[in-house]
Amino acid sequence: MKDSATAAQQAPSEKRTTRDLTRAAVSGWLGTAMEFMDFQLYSLAAAIVFNRLFFPDVSPAIGLIAAMATYGVGYVARLAGAVYFGRMGDRLGRKKVLYITILLMGASTTLIGALPTYATIGIAAPILLVALRLVQGFGAGAEIAGATVMLAEYAPVRRRGLVSSLVSLGTNSGTLAASGLWAVLLTVLSEDQLLSWGWRLPFLLSFVLMILAAWMRRGLKESPVFEERPDVVDGVALPRGEVESAGVTVGKRDGNVLAAAVRQRKGKAFFLALGLRFGQAGNSGLIQTFLVGYLATNLAVDRSVPTDAIVYGSLLGFVTVPVVGLLGDRFGRRVVYLTLSLLTAVIAFPVMLLITSGSTAGVMVGMVLGLNVGVLGLFSVESVTMAELFGARSRFTQLALAKEVGGILATAIGPVLAATLTALTDSWWPISAMLVVYSLITFVSAYLAPETRGRDLVRLEDAV
């Protein structure tokens, strides 16, 4: 490696063309779509059939709790993946990580579709299910963070919110594909067909998406921001000691940049990002995961109704997500965050009244509204805001950790807690209360956060 004193004197990175930006956008969209299709396939299967296929010797309520707990296990593995791949992405580049994660997610999801059930191999079946869920989560722990970082670092400054929102469209596409597949299965297959072989089809089909996404990423160029970082030499980030030395020996401007990265105390930006993540993650776990099983198991609503509602909500999301991205570019990130999180808290109880009304139309309207305001809208502005909050030196790691810690605290634990509270109270009101709490945490975090629109992403230090 070159002497650290030359850290800030690298040749400028190769100029990225519109074609490169398009490839990065499609690659990020496909990878994130695959991640969320995999997780939504699993969450819907956990809510609809896994309690009978892998936990048949318990009551329906306990089986639902066990299936939701297995769903939550993947979030523990995601945290490990966020740490491991996040550090790799900050040190060696974003591209390498994104290629590995897509292969891990695709292989594990495909294998879930080939698993024998409890009736065939007994207790080994749920054990293998958990093992594959852990591998899936380990890869997914850095997928959306990597795609978010890559798109934000590729995007033109004035359209960064819109371009970064494509990550959210990927989540929406994955949710739509998974929900659509399950909606078709529930419509055309009998109960016996669904339980014997139909549930496997969506998992096996994810193999095709893995191949397409991996092919796209093979030709993807590295993030221009990573290449322009003054602490990156020969494609590898300098360790802290060499950064400190380089800060003394290089020119004043780059020396100041390197020194700022070393001196800044980390933490404030991370906790703000964690709070920003909390509302979207928690609301997603309740609306997209828990409510499907709750409506079918506790309220005897036909299982096709909530899955159809998620499909319609995801379709509307193709408008919601880019519009929110454009609003963030026009008015700033904070005002959009404050508006959406407060609106979600205000409509939480009315939405649940609609969903639990017993009316098919009520379920549809309530879930579509909750999904677009409290999940997809927040996700759209979250993508760019988190990338702008963190400095380039640790952006991947901190962003991945904020997303996954928030996921563990809200998305993974939330459905299990909701299942327990609704069973104890025999009522739906704990779900609304949880939606309010999640959304208010995000509202306070947005209020305390700085406006990040237009921030220079090559800067190594965090925004606060």
Side-chain angles (χ1 to χ4, degrees):
M1 183 178 288
K2 301 175 186 177
D3 186 88
S4 60
T6 66
Q9 300 173 355
Q10 303 180 85
S13 63
E14 179 185 354
K15 184 178 180 181
R16 299 296 187 267
T17 64
T18 301
R19 183 177 180 180
D20 293 328
L21 174 59
T22 301
R23 192 177 190 93
V26 173
S27 167
W29 167 70
L30 277 176
T32 309
M34 180 175 172
E35 175 191 348
F36 272 73
M37 187 180 84
D38 291 352
F39 266 62
Q40 185 70 359
L41 285 176
Y42 192 99
S43 66
L44 290 172
I48 296 171
V49 297
F50 277 1
N51 58 329
R52 287 178 285 175
L53 292 171
F54 293 94
F55 309 98
D57 292 341
V58 296
S59 69
I62 299 300
L64 179 60
I65 293 173
M68 288 295 119
T70 308
Y71 167 78
V73 161
Y75 283 89
V76 178
R78 289 178 71 107
L79 180 59
V83 174
Y84 181 80
F85 290 118
R87 295 181 67 181
M88 181 188 295
D90 282 325
R91 184 168 181 269
L92 302 178
R94 320 322 191 182
K95 177 183 173 180
K96 296 180 179 66
V97 169
L98 288 172
Y99 190 72
I100 296 171
T101 57
I102 202 75
L103 296 178
L104 280 176
M105 290 190 308
S108 57
T109 301
T110 302
L111 289 174
I112 287 175
L115 273 181
T117 63
Y118 188 95
T120 304
I121 60 173
I123 193 64
I127 291 174
L128 289 172
L129 180 65
V130 170
L132 288 175
R133 177 69 172 162
L134 288 171
V135 175
Q136 184 192 59
F138 187 66
E143 168 60 37
I144 193 167
T148 299
V149 168
M150 183 69 94
L151 278 185
E153 292 183 346
Y154 254 91
V157 175
R158 291 173 60 86
R159 287 291 176 262
R160 190 182 289 157
L162 176 61
V163 173
S164 297
S165 75
L166 293 176
V167 173
S168 306
L169 279 183
T171 70
N172 197 37
S173 301
T175 299
L176 176 62
S179 301
L181 284 170
W182 271 107
V184 170
L185 292 175
L186 290 170
T187 300
V188 304
L189 298 182
S190 67
E191 187 86 355
D192 288 341
Q193 289 173 325
L194 183 68
L195 291 173
S196 62
W197 55 267
W199 68 271
R200 300 181 184 276
L201 295 180
F203 294 96
L204 297 175
L205 287 173
S206 70
F207 180 78
V208 177
L209 188 56
M210 177 191 74
I211 296 300
L212 179 59
W215 174 75
M216 286 293 299
R217 289 184 176 179
R218 282 187 63 86
L220 182 64
K221 293 178 182 178
E222 183 54 83
S223 155
V225 168
F226 181 81
E227 292 184 346
E228 292 170 12
R229 278 168 48 182
D231 65 329
V232 170
V233 180
D234 293 337
V236 179
L238 296 172
R240 181 184 178 92
E242 292 189 45
V243 171
E244 291 175 335
S245 300
V248 174
T249 57
V250 300
K252 180 178 179 181
R253 177 184 178 277
D254 291 319
N256 290 339
V257 169
L258 294 170
V262 172
R263 287 197 308 265
Q264 186 182 47
R265 296 182 63 183
K266 301 292 183 184
K268 188 172 181 180
F270 175 80
F271 285 109
L272 286 174
L274 187 61
L276 294 175
R277 167 73 167 150
F278 221 84
Q280 185 277 329
N283 296 343
S284 175
L286 293 176
I287 295 171
Q288 294 179 261
T289 302
F290 175 73
L291 276 178
V292 176
Y294 177 78
L295 290 173
T297 303
N298 295 66
L299 301 183
V301 174
D302 189 284
R303 288 170 299 180
S304 65
V305 175
T307 54
D308 286 346
I310 293 175
V311 170
Y312 297 141
S314 298
L315 286 171
L316 181 59
F318 283 98
V319 176
T320 301
V321 167
V323 167
V324 171
L326 286 170
L327 290 173
D329 284 332
R330 176 66 178 85
F331 299 105
R333 321 305 183 200
R334 287 181 74 246
V335 67
V336 176
Y337 246 123
L338 291 169
T339 302
L340 289 174
S341 55
L342 184 59
L343 182 58
T344 304
V346 169
I347 67 173
F349 279 88
V351 159
M352 281 305 302
L353 279 171
L354 281 171
I355 291 173
T356 59
S357 65
S359 161
T360 298
V363 174
M364 292 287 181
V365 172
M367 291 191 71
V368 167
L369 184 59
L371 179 62
N372 277 268
V373 176
V375 180
L376 298 178
L378 285 175
F379 212 154
S380 179
V381 70
E382 173 189 299
S383 298
V384 67
T385 306
M386 282 195 178
E388 291 171 333
L389 266 177
F390 298 123
R393 184 165 171 81
S394 60
R395 176 172 295 126
F396 199 148
T397 304
Q398 291 200 84
L399 196 154
L401 279 173
K403 282 185 174 290
E404 300 315 321
V405 172
I408 290 174
L409 293 177
T411 313
I413 296 175
V416 179
L417 179 60
T420 304
L421 290 176
T422 52
L424 289 174
T425 62
D426 193 27
S427 176
W428 55 263
W429 69 260
I431 305 171
S432 294
M434 291 175 68
L435 288 170
V436 171
V437 170
Y438 287 150
S439 300
L440 290 181
I441 289 173
T442 290
F443 179 85
V444 172
S445 301
Y447 180 79
L448 296 174
E451 178 54 63
T452 59
R453 179 180 53 166
R455 187 168 188 262
D456 181 5
L457 295 187
V458 180
R459 295 179 62 176
L460 301 183
E461 75 278 11
D462 295 341
V464 289

